[in-house]
Amino acid sequence: MPLADSFLQELNNEAATTRRVLEHIPEGQLAWRPHAKSYSLGELGLHVAQIPGAISRLVTPDVLDSPSAFVQGQATSRQAMLDALTESVATASAYLGGLSDSQMMTTWTMNAGGKTILAAPRIGMIRSIMFNHWYHHRGQLLVYLRLLGEHVPSVYGPTADENPFTA
């Protein structure tokens, strides 16, 4: 089985889980933030929705020179986040589906100011930055939901609000 196939399966499974989380974001609270230094709920939700596609675009070239500054947008609605997730997953699916095993093992490099600041096998970048980074921020989003008193859906097991192991 090609290496990308396992990533595609994971992407699709986790996208469904991420969709369930985004569906619980309260429309009227998008500007809420738990701390002045934190993303707002709308910013974090949109970031979570956009990660797979954004990282796919980031790691497409073998070398990324002078990356542009990252600026996180603010979602205007829950539906905007869900639409962004659909687009992002489609982008990531197309990208991953087009990778050969040898491309997965190629070193990906980021340069800035004429210096290499990161070099790693593309497969590692996909695992750590596309997937692990995605899960980290989705976990933050679950904490936001709890702090707002919203329903916290099951991700990998029971929450105080939802238990997939009981009827």
Side-chain angles (χ1 to χ4, degrees):
M1 169 182 1
L3 293 170
D5 286 357
S6 65
F7 281 122
L8 281 166
Q9 182 178 2
E10 182 175 351
L11 176 71
N12 290 323
N13 291 342
E14 297 296 335
T17 300
T18 300
R19 180 169 295 282
R20 283 197 321 273
V21 172
L22 293 174
E23 288 170 345
H24 286 88
I25 290 177
E27 288 278 342
Q29 296 288 337
L30 297 181
W32 180 86
R33 60 184 75 231
H35 186 275
K37 292 182 179 180
S38 300
Y39 276 166
S40 71
L41 179 61
E43 289 168 333
L44 182 59
L46 187 59
H47 185 61
V48 167
Q50 294 174 329
I51 287 172
I55 301 306
S56 295
R57 289 186 295 277
L58 183 77
V59 300
T60 294
D62 289 338
V63 178
L64 179 64
D65 282 313
S66 302
S68 57
F70 176 77
V71 178
Q72 181 56 56
Q74 169 74 31
T76 56
S77 68
R78 180 187 319 115
Q79 190 59 51
M81 290 180 252
L82 294 169
D83 293 346
L85 178 66
T86 298
E87 179 182 331
S88 178
V89 170
T91 297
S93 292
Y95 171 70
L96 292 170
L99 287 176
S100 67
D101 285 0
S102 63
Q103 288 171 308
M104 292 283 274
M105 301 311 290
T106 301
T107 297
W108 179 84
T109 304
M110 180 188 295
N111 298 322
K115 294 182 181 182
T116 298
I117 58 173
L118 180 61
R122 182 174 275 110
I123 192 170
M125 292 302 299
I126 292 168
R127 165 57 51 214
S128 65
I129 304 299
M130 182 185 294
F131 287 105
N132 296 352
H133 174 225
W134 195 22
Y135 308 149
H136 160 74
H137 285 302
R138 186 176 66 195
Q140 286 181 309
L141 195 52
L142 292 168
V143 172
Y144 278 35
L145 292 177
R146 177 59 70 219
L147 291 172
L148 286 167
E150 297 295 325
H151 178 96
V152 176
S154 170
V155 172
Y156 298 119
T159 69
D161 302 315
E162 191 175 296
N163 186 344
F165 306 117
T166 61

